[in-house]
Amino acid sequence: MRSLDALPKAHLHLHLTGAMRHATLVELAGRHGIRLPPALTEDWPPQLSGIDERGWFRFQRLYDMARSVLRTPADLRRLLAEIAQDERAEGSGWLEIQVDPDGYAARFGGITAALEHQLEGAAEARAATGVGIGVIVAANRTKHPLEARTLARLAAQYAGHGVTGFGLSNDERRGPPHDFARAFRIAEQAGLLLVPHGGELAGPASVAACLDDLHADRIGHGVRAAEDPALVKRLAAEGVTCEVCPSSNVALGVAASPAQVPLRQLLEAGVPVALGADDPLLFGPRLIAQYEIARHAHGFSDPELADLARTAVLSSTAPEPVRARLLAGIDDWLFSA
């Protein structure tokens, strides 16, 4: 059985704060005098649920508490350096990290300064580790659509300078996609990849709206599309990649067990799928664990796992030399020994 950490990969669904090491969270909290709740200390990883508003509110409160330990530019640089180190250790040669500059604006001098700190940290991490990093600016769908437009204009300003995509995150049961269509047109005109969340906490209609209203190039999660055969056929026909995150689906109650995540169902219907870890700080498992779920819970063979890795690379914004290197490495992994 081939080692999964030796399989070259691209990681397309990871949130900045949610990628923090637990030890770093605890250390920074102590340094800045922040008292963390038991769910982020002795009871970590927390028991979560997202299937009702109360459960999602608790998840979001824990996420905001974790983000509060990032107080200085040095904290952000450390976070990004450690993320890149962890990615390299798991065989990931390209990462697309989602950031919401608005969530850091109050402590870092506004959304522009916050994004610039994040881009600088990403560039330093890339230079130190060799892991390519593209930044996806993600708007919060629980806030006013005007704020999303502001973020889209900011993302467009840095297109080609570290920002590669524009997304939409948080509870999809609030903030329907059509409310954010104008923000996505701004990002689209700037040539950014369009990568909203959909089909996780809400059903297939959420995915269809991301396609129709937001012109999504990829869908964050998208697993609820499996409930609508016609929508699955559309995703396959249009080649829209779903960023499936099995561990977070189980943790939030979207699926009862790893085996019930419709991973094989989507793939067998022709839908491109890339695996992601989402928020390992809150869910526990990182990227390798998602491939282990595919191998052990869904019975994926090594050629099928290699296909998953290829899809992630081909669905990414990685520059051509990085793509070629990763794709050649996947072939080497599969055909050597």
Side-chain angles (χ1 to χ4, degrees), residues 67-139:
R67 181 166 50 201
S68 74
V69 308
L70 299 167
R71 295 298 177 97
T72 70
D75 294 341
L76 281 176
R77 289 195 299 271
R78 173 181 174 176
L79 172 60
L80 284 154
E82 291 180 349
I83 290 170
Q85 292 164 11
D86 292 339
E87 290 293 311
R88 181 177 62 184
E90 293 198 303
S92 175
W94 177 260
L95 168 66
E96 296 184 9
I97 190 85
Q98 294 200 28
V99 305
D100 175 4
D102 188 61
Y104 302 84
R107 285 189 289 273
F108 289 91
I111 58 172
T112 300
L115 179 60
E116 288 182 345
H117 285 308
Q118 290 158 352
L119 290 171
E120 289 167 5
E124 291 176 8
R126 179 169 54 246
T129 64
V131 175
I133 302 176
V135 170
I136 295 172
V137 174

Side-chain angles (χ1 to χ4, degrees), residues 100-305:
D100 175 4
D102 188 61
Y104 302 84
R107 285 189 289 273
F108 289 91
I111 58 172
T112 300
L115 179 60
E116 288 182 345
H117 285 308
Q118 290 158 352
L119 290 171
E120 289 167 5
E124 291 176 8
R126 179 169 54 246
T129 64
V131 175
I133 302 176
V135 170
I136 295 172
V137 174
N140 185 337
R141 69 200 314 152
T142 69
K143 295 185 177 181
H144 197 282
L146 286 174
E147 297 188 32
R149 293 181 212 171
T150 299
L151 286 177
R153 285 189 285 270
L154 177 65
Q157 181 182 344
Y158 288 88
H161 300 281
V163 174
T164 59
F166 185 70
L168 182 64
S169 59
N170 212 302
D171 188 349
E172 67 197 279
R173 295 165 298 196
R174 300 169 60 191
H178 65 78
D179 287 352
F180 300 90
R182 290 184 62 182
F184 273 75
R185 295 295 76 74
I186 293 168
E188 187 174 32
Q189 290 166 10
L192 294 170
L193 204 71
L194 308 179
V195 290
H197 286 48
E200 180 191 22
L201 300 177
S206 167
V207 175
C210 286
L211 298 174
D212 294 333
D213 298 327
L214 305 184
H215 304 174
D217 297 302
R218 296 196 314 248
I219 300 288
H221 300 291
V223 290
R224 299 285 299 280
E227 300 167 15
D228 183 343
L231 180 59
V232 169
K233 288 181 180 179
R234 180 182 177 187
L235 290 168
E238 297 182 10
V240 176
T241 298
C242 288
E243 303 159 3
V244 176
C245 306
S247 291
S248 70
N249 288 166
V250 174
L252 292 176
V254 177
S257 68
Q260 292 188 24
V261 175
L263 178 59
R264 187 172 287 282
Q265 179 182 347
L266 292 171
L267 282 167
E268 289 183 348
V271 178
V273 169
L275 296 178
D278 203 1
D279 294 293
L281 176 62
L282 293 178
F283 304 132
R286 305 190 76 91
L287 183 59
I288 287 292
Q290 314 314 311
Y291 281 83
E292 290 174 344
I293 287 171
R295 171 180 271 174
H296 297 296
H298 295 273
F300 275 49
S301 64
D302 284 355
E304 289 174 320
L305 293 168

Side-chain angles (χ1 to χ4, degrees), residues 51-70:
I51 58 176
D52 56 49
E53 289 195 10
R54 181 178 179 182
W56 181 261
F57 176 80
R58 180 172 182 265
F59 165 78
Q60 193 61 51
R61 183 171 58 83
L62 291 173
Y63 192 94
D64 292 342
M65 179 62 72
R67 181 166 50 201
S68 74
V69 308
L70 299 167

